[in-house]
Amino acid sequence: MEVDKDKIYSIGEFVGALNVELKGIKAKIIGEVGEAKAGPTGHMYFTLKDENGGAMLNCIIWKFKYSLFGIKLEPGMKIVAYGNCEVYAPSGRLSFLCDTIELAGEGELKKQYDELKKKLEKEGLFNAENKRPVPAYAQKIGVITAKQGAVIHDFLNNIGQFGFKIKFIDSRVEGAGAVEDLLAAIKTFIKKDIDVLVIIRGGGSMESLMPFNNELLVREVVGFPVPVVVGIGHDKDVPLVCLAADKSESTPTAVANLLGESWEQARFILAKATGLIKNAGILIKNKYQNKYNILRERIFSNFKNILAGINSELNHIDKLVIINNPERQLKMGYSIARAGGKIVRKVGDVRPEQNLELRVNDGEIKTKVIWTQKI
Amino acid sequence: MDSKNLSANLKKLFEIADWFDKQDEIDVEEGLEKVKEASELIKASKDRLKKIENEFEEIKKEIEHE
């Protein structure tokens, strides 16, 4: 905003312009909570001051945001707030409007972690009997993590080539703002058709992992319609989301291996079964080869005998025809005599002076019986 | 005469052989006709038999090489 030095502004005009400028000055501030009280509409009004007491700021966090971060503001608590200042025109009061709040200092973090863990444990949210098994042969996988960094690559490089259909939602996984992203991503995945939900990130300090100790997030994970597998690297204190998930692995790579495991096993079983079937085929072939050979020889030999039999019959008939061939007899010098149209076989078949017809090889001879004499 | 029908040819040849066996008086002309017919049938049958034998050997070789 450029201030027109010649113009005279109304208070409202000036505060409005000032607030526009202030909105652009986002900052992260650390301080100790002084007074803290909820307004009638649920918004939280509190003060933040330096530990040495030198400076103080009035702060506001709206009801929706306040419920998101799971921190109950109490006097003496040390927090980091992110946001910008604003002047409330009716009162002229300057306040810091918090976009996010997070606990500062290991002590505070540990205290809040322990309290929440105890509370959720009591509710049974971490009970082993409520855990759902990770589905075997899961194919449609929802993945929530940051697209920046090695985590997503580690996961994809290790999950194997089994035709997975992976849906990915980019989310911040560190800092107070991560809670909002993670919750939104989970809500999106509720409507998606997936077999399993995966939430992964690399290791970090308790402070950086605080989004995964968020109560709302824990409840979303427990109530998620399909099994949730998390792979969040951690040190001593296990993030509460890990305790709430159906299965928790130490790294994103381990999650990838877990999801590929059933497929790997199936591949192994398939290879083994293929081998068994091949061997069985060889065994069956060997078993029946002998029988097959015997049958084949029987068929061949029978048919060969049939052919040999036919050949022998043909030769026999051939000889018979040759023997019976009248031409052959005539050629050899024999003749056929007929008298009165009948074949002459004995002396008594003719009488002297009777006509006689002789059939010889090349024609007929007509003659007469001169005399007859029995031999 | 069907040169491919070995069974029918054999049947005819048996009939001719029977005819010769039954003749008391050989009719030279008819006998000659029968001889001619039988010779043709024998030749055709032997050719057909040779072909069948060759086909059989081919099939046998194929099966044995499987």
Side-chain angles (χ1 to χ4, degrees), chain A residues 292 296-297 300 303-304 307 310-311 313-315 317-318 320-321 324-327 336 343 345 359, chain B residues 10 13-14 17 20 24-26 28-29 32 35 38 42 45-46 49 52-53 56 60 63-64 66:
Chain A
Y292 163 78
R296 190 187 61 190
E297 283 313 309
F300 285 172
F303 191 67
K304 217 171 179 176
L307 293 181
I310 293 170
N311 200 31
E313 293 284 0
L314 284 173
N315 287 336
I317 294 170
D318 200 11
L320 192 77
V321 168
N324 283 295
N325 187 351
E327 277 187 336
I336 301 165
I343 287 178
R345 286 194 171 82
R359 171 78 162 90
Chain B
L10 278 171
L13 281 169
F14 277 117
F20 277 115
D24 288 333
E25 293 182 9
I26 289 280
V28 179
E29 301 305 329
L32 203 57
V35 167
I42 287 169
S45 298
K46 281 195 168 176
L49 190 64
I52 290 172
E53 276 173 345
F56 171 64
K60 202 173 148 188
I63 290 177
E64 281 169 352
E66 262 181 12

Side-chain angles (χ1 to χ4, degrees), chain A residues 4-177:
Chain A
D4 185 350
K5 286 178 184 168
D6 296 327
K7 185 186 171 183
I8 298 171
Y9 292 90
S10 74
I11 304 301
E13 274 179 333
F14 185 68
V15 169
L18 196 59
N19 281 340
V20 171
E21 287 298 305
L22 288 171
K23 203 167 185 178
I25 308 169
K26 293 276 185 191
K28 217 179 226 188
I29 57 172
I30 186 165
E32 200 178 285
V33 177
E35 282 180 40
K37 61 176 181 182
T41 49
H43 307 314
M44 277 302 289
Y45 300 90
F46 61 100
T47 57
L48 271 184
K49 58 184 182 179
D50 283 337
E51 269 179 298
N52 55 23
M56 191 184 82
L57 260 180
N58 293 309
C59 300
I60 303 169
I61 182 161
W62 307 123
K63 183 186 173 184
F64 164 69
K65 297 262 184 188
Y66 184 55
S67 65
L68 208 62
F69 300 109
I71 298 169
K72 194 182 170 201
L73 292 171
E74 285 173 349
M77 191 180 265
K78 197 173 174 186
I79 67 163
V80 172
Y82 175 74
N84 59 279
C85 280
E86 189 183 87
V87 176
Y88 184 56
S91 65
R93 189 181 163 103
L94 180 95
S95 295
F96 187 83
L97 299 183
C98 304
D99 288 338
T100 68
I101 54 170
E102 55 189 307
L103 291 170
E106 283 289 322
E108 291 292 347
L109 294 173
K110 184 76 172 87
K111 190 178 156 213
Q112 190 209 18
Y113 170 87
D114 287 339
E115 279 174 7
L116 187 58
K117 188 179 173 190
K118 206 171 164 187
K119 176 185 161 189
L120 299 176
E121 249 167 5
K122 224 175 188 176
E123 284 186 41
L125 263 59
F126 306 145
N127 285 356
E129 61 264 30
N130 295 335
K131 308 284 183 205
R132 295 163 293 186
V134 177
Y137 316 115
Q139 222 184 358
K140 292 168 274 182
I141 300 169
V143 178
I144 301 174
T145 192
K147 72 174 176 189
Q148 305 291 341
V151 169
I152 187 67
H153 299 290
D154 285 349
F155 179 78
L156 294 175
N157 288 340
N158 286 286
I159 196 161
Q161 303 284 331
F162 295 109
F164 290 113
K165 293 179 180 80
I166 296 173
K167 289 170 186 162
F168 167 71
I169 294 181
D170 179 30
S171 164
R172 283 175 286 176
V173 289
E174 193 167 345

Side-chain angles (χ1 to χ4, degrees), chain B residues 3-55:
Chain B
S3 64
K4 280 190 176 177
N5 196 334
L6 190 58
S7 301
N9 289 354
L10 278 171
K11 198 181 162 202
K12 268 193 173 167
L13 281 169
F14 277 117
E15 283 169 7
I16 292 170
D18 286 346
W19 184 84
F20 277 115
D21 283 344
K22 283 175 191 165
Q23 293 307 304
D24 288 333
E25 293 182 9
I26 289 280
D27 180 328
V28 179
E29 301 305 329
E30 197 179 352
L32 203 57
E33 282 304 310
K34 295 278 183 199
V35 167
K36 272 185 193 168
E37 191 186 0
S39 299
E40 281 171 18
L41 284 169
I42 287 169
K43 189 178 178 300
S45 298
K46 281 195 168 176
D47 287 349
R48 183 68 192 139
L49 190 64
K50 192 75 212 161
K51 275 183 187 168
I52 290 172
E53 276 173 345
N54 289 342
E55 270 182 51

